[in-house]
Amino acid sequence: KEALKIGAETAVAQLNKTDGYYLDPLMKINLPPQTAEVIQYAKKVPGLDKMIEDVILQINRSAEDAAAQAKPILVNAITSMSIADAWGILKGADTAATYYLKDKTFNPLVDLYKPIINTSLDKPIVAGISANKSWTELTGKWNKFAGSIAGKVLGVSKLNVSLDEYVTTQALNGLFIKVEDQEKKIRTDI
């Protein structure tokens, strides 16, 4: 339990710092995959690339802000595990503890992360405009274009992605990747 606790705390510490998500190529949260068409067209519009990168930076900052809140929930799940759970983890696959933690903590972490991420996404980034506002403007303009005759001729799709839900899910997926990395280290060199 102590080794798992230290591993979980280390994973949280790696993510809960400036650039913990943003500069880690494996952790970096980009715009939702559904925005591929938008990004493709954005390269043709001066200034839009910068706006998109600002939103991506704020998305990652919001995940970094929320990461600190995971520690008590993860530690509680570890300290409250039964002997049978611990034995199953000990004898299980090299990611058994991560699976256990994800199963026990994912929903409480979503409930905890989502408002923190949403608050962070509402912080102004450039010229007083937040990531949420930029996202709303971007998707609104894109959806208007997608619904136009030109959009229909080009066959572009509308965007219907909740930014805070997407970022919350991606942030937690990143957290559990880091927990898994720590678990593998513990199993090879306690």
Side-chain angles (χ1 to χ4, degrees), residues 53-175:
E53 192 54 39
D54 288 341
V55 171
I56 291 170
L57 176 63
Q58 191 62 27
I59 283 170
N60 285 273
R61 292 292 184 256
S62 68
E64 293 159 4
D65 288 347
Q69 307 306 313
K71 181 179 167 182
I73 290 176
L74 293 172
V75 168
N76 183 52
I78 292 165
T79 57
S80 64
M81 77 172 58
S82 70
I83 292 172
D85 290 332
W87 187 252
I89 289 169
L90 187 61
K91 296 296 181 188
D94 64 349
T95 58
T98 303
Y99 178 79
Y100 169 84
L101 289 173
K102 191 170 186 177
D103 182 57
K104 298 291 183 192
T105 65
F106 194 83
N107 289 335
L109 286 171
V110 167
D111 294 341
L112 186 67
Y113 266 50
K114 197 170 178 183
I116 294 167
I117 284 175
N118 200 36
T119 298
S120 187
L121 291 173
D122 280 335
K123 290 178 187 174
I125 45 177
V126 176
I129 298 173
S130 70
N132 270 337
K133 185 171 182 172
S134 294
W135 178 255
T136 301
E137 287 178 15
L138 181 68
T139 57
K141 288 178 182 176
W142 180 259
N143 288 342
K144 187 175 180 179
F145 169 68
S148 72
I149 293 171
K152 289 177 183 176
V153 167
L154 292 172
V156 296
S157 304
K158 288 188 175 186
L159 286 175
N160 294 313
V161 177
S162 168
L163 188 60
D164 61 337
E165 287 178 19
Y166 170 77
V167 175
T168 298
T169 301
Q170 294 302 305
L172 288 173
N173 288 342
L175 172 66

Side-chain angles (χ1 to χ4, degrees), residues 15 40-41 49 65 93 124-125:
L15 295 173
Q40 176 186 352
Y41 285 100
D49 271 353
D65 288 347
I125 45 177

